[in-house]
Amino acid sequence: MSQYAVAVATRPGRPRVIPRAASALAPRDEILQAAAELFVNRGFAATSTRDIAEKVGIRQASLYYHFEGKPGILAELLELSVRPSLEKVETIEQECPADVPEAALYLLALIDADTLATVPHNIGRLYRMPDVRSSEVFEEFQPAFRELTAAYGRLGAGVVSGPVAATVGVDQLGGLLVQAVEVVIRIRSRGEEVTRGQTQAIAATCLRMCGVPEERIARAAASVEKRLA
């Protein structure tokens, strides 16, 4: 999940404007990383393709060799914040043990929290930024985000009990669980690193929100850790 490479074939760009040290990243991924830093720190609207190109050390025209423009870069960054989790939902639902149903929600929350903890420059912040939320790209991103939220709601509904079960619908439950995981974004925004212990605690919190007893939470966590070992 911490890998930032994007499996997309790229064409060779033109020579760099500013010589730079050799990078392990492909040119396309260098552009994504530079854009992520600029978008998060300056804002999407305040960052130009020229700014991104200069940070990478390439000509502005070379940037367009890899992306049609700034919206395309933003779209890919937004996808990076949800796609690693979304792609694992089906496997999680199929392979988590039936006798420990809580393990599925725990594992999704753990994977999602780990993703948000390791994506470059805390790009989870992007979909909270007003200039991003008002863009057409954000509208195009919404189906993927809604799909992930629905997965949380579905897995949560399978284990929810007590007062929560009687008062919270599936859609609302999914949204609440997503918000619990997104605390990772706030922690990183304070300049703090997010540890694996914290992401495990966040996953456990998602189960507590569903009214799962502590002994079942411990069993789910042990099941997931054994699976990941």
Side-chain angles (χ1 to χ4, degrees):
M1 290 184 297
S2 63
Q3 294 295 318
Y4 192 63
V6 178
V8 179
T10 60
R11 296 175 289 178
R14 298 181 184 180
R16 295 180 180 276
V17 176
I18 304 171
R20 289 162 57 94
S23 171
L25 296 175
R28 182 184 180 90
D29 298 327
E30 285 192 273
I31 292 169
L32 286 170
Q33 184 153 301
E37 182 177 356
L38 291 170
F39 289 167
V40 169
N41 293 330
R42 292 188 188 179
F44 173 66
T47 300
S48 68
T49 53
R50 182 181 296 276
D51 294 329
I52 299 169
E54 288 179 351
K55 187 167 187 63
V56 177
I58 60 176
R59 299 179 188 279
Q60 189 176 11
S62 296
L63 183 146
Y64 289 100
Y65 213 64
H66 301 283
F67 293 94
E68 291 186 1
K70 202 168 63 163
I73 298 173
L74 176 62
E76 195 149 331
L77 289 173
L78 289 172
E79 282 288 315
L80 283 171
S81 68
V82 299
R83 186 58 55 187
S85 303
L86 198 52
E87 288 179 344
K88 293 179 175 62
V89 169
E90 184 176 356
T91 300
I92 289 171
E93 291 182 310
Q94 291 178 349
E95 297 185 4
C96 278
D99 61 333
V100 192
E102 299 88 356
L105 176 57
Y106 183 96
L107 181 56
L108 176 60
L110 182 64
I111 290 171
D112 202 18
D114 282 340
T115 296
L116 292 175
T118 55
V119 287
H121 305 293
N122 198 17
I123 57 176
R125 286 183 59 189
L126 291 175
Y127 52 82
R128 295 179 168 205
M129 298 170 69
D131 55 350
V132 171
R133 297 180 69 87
S134 62
S135 69
E136 291 184 7
V137 175
F138 186 74
E139 289 301 315
E140 295 169 358
F141 164 71
Q142 285 301 289
F145 188 75
R146 284 194 292 267
E147 187 179 349
L148 181 59
T149 302
Y152 271 105
R154 191 165 60 248
L155 295 178
V159 299
V160 70
S161 63
V164 178
T167 59
V168 179
V170 174
D171 292 342
Q172 186 179 7
L173 178 59
L176 291 172
L177 294 170
V178 167
Q179 289 178 34
V181 174
E182 286 179 348
V183 71
V184 171
I185 300 171
R186 295 197 293 275
I187 294 172
R188 292 188 66 185
S189 294
R190 298 196 297 264
E192 302 173 19
E193 290 188 8
V194 180
T195 67
R196 184 58 184 274
Q198 286 175 308
T199 59
Q200 290 169 330
I202 289 168
T205 296
C206 286
L207 294 184
R208 292 189 185 97
M209 290 172 63
C210 293
V212 177
E214 290 298 320
E215 63 271 18
R216 298 290 299 182
I217 295 174
R219 186 179 179 190
S223 174
V224 167
E225 293 306 321
K226 181 178 179 181
R227 172 192 172 95
L228 297 177

